[in-house]
Structures are given as C-alpha cells and as structure tokens.
Amino acid sequence: MQLYQQMITRQRKWMFYLLALFVLGWGITPWQPIFLGLLLGSALSFYNLWLMQRKIRKLGEASAENHSVRGIGTFTRLASGALAVVIALQFEEYFHLISVVLGLMAAYFVILIDYLFNKSIV
C-alpha cells in the first residue's frame, strides 16, 4: 500500500505542475484560448484522476476484507468529460475545443509517463 500512496503522490504532483504550466501559458502567450482549453480539460482530468485513485483505493481495501464495491466511478468520469465539452461549446470564444479534449487526456499521459519512469523501481 505504501508504493501505491507514493505513486498517487507523484501523479498528483505532476498534474499540479502541468496545470501550473498551462496557467503560465495562458498568462504570457498570445494563444490564450488554447491554453485555457488545456487548463479546463486538465483540471477536470485532475478531478477524474483523484476520483479514480480514491475509488481504486476503496476497491483494494474492500477486496482485502472480502467485501464488494459498487463501481469505480466510470459514469462520473465520463460525465465530467461531457461537462468540459459542453462548457467549451458554450463559450467558444474563450476555449479551444480540441485543446479541451487533449486536456481531458492529460491524466492518462501522466499515468503513462509515471509508469515508464518508475517501472524499474518495483
């Protein structure tokens, strides 16, 4: 469980760094709609990452105690992705739609990169 907690901490740290990078890009570059779209998508992606990690931890604890769990929150994560797209479509002048979609995938890139950098440790 200690390794899992370390992985969660690393992934959240990298998501915060990515969000900070997008805020800087939004503030100092002329491509504000692109970075604002990346920021919106990545913020909801960070929420999805947090939700998935919490549900998986509960699933692990329940399986250790031979209990069952209802689910891992797939519908909630899909709904938050749909919310990001609806916001981007509603405010097209502020958000770049493709950037929002790319931002929604940010957590999965962070998970993949975290795995590739730390697979030799385990």
Side-chain angles (χ1 to χ4, degrees):
M1 196 63 154
Q2 182 67 22
L3 289 175
Y4 182 68
Q5 290 292 27
Q6 290 173 351
M7 180 192 68
I8 286 175
T9 303
R10 277 193 319 266
Q11 290 173 355
R12 288 181 185 173
K13 178 179 70 171
W14 285 109
M15 281 298 294
F16 278 127
Y17 290 155
L18 191 62
L19 287 169
L21 182 70
F22 292 154
V23 167
L24 286 174
W26 173 70
I28 60 177
T29 66
W31 305 298
Q32 289 183 345
I34 291 174
F35 279 104
L36 198 57
L38 286 169
L39 187 61
L40 173 65
S42 295
L44 286 172
S45 182
F46 182 67
Y47 168 72
N48 288 339
L49 177 69
W50 172 78
L51 184 67
M52 183 172 49
Q53 289 170 341
R54 189 179 69 147
K55 293 283 189 171
I56 289 174
R57 183 180 43 83
K58 286 183 179 182
L59 177 70
E61 291 170 355
S63 67
E65 299 171 358
N66 291 329
H67 289 54
S68 62
V69 178
R70 276 185 33 191
I72 58 171
T74 303
F75 180 74
T76 306
R77 291 194 312 270
L78 289 174
S80 69
L83 175 67
V85 170
V86 167
I87 290 171
L89 289 175
Q90 185 70 30
F91 301 103
E92 289 181 59
E93 62 274 5
Y94 299 111
F95 299 103
H96 187 251
L97 181 62
I98 295 172
S99 298
V100 172
V101 174
L102 288 174
L104 285 170
M105 295 186 299
Y108 300 107
F109 290 131
V110 166
I111 291 170
L112 178 68
I113 291 169
D114 180 62
Y115 168 74
L116 291 174
F117 281 140
N118 295 299
K119 71 179 179 179
S120 62
I121 294 173
V122 176

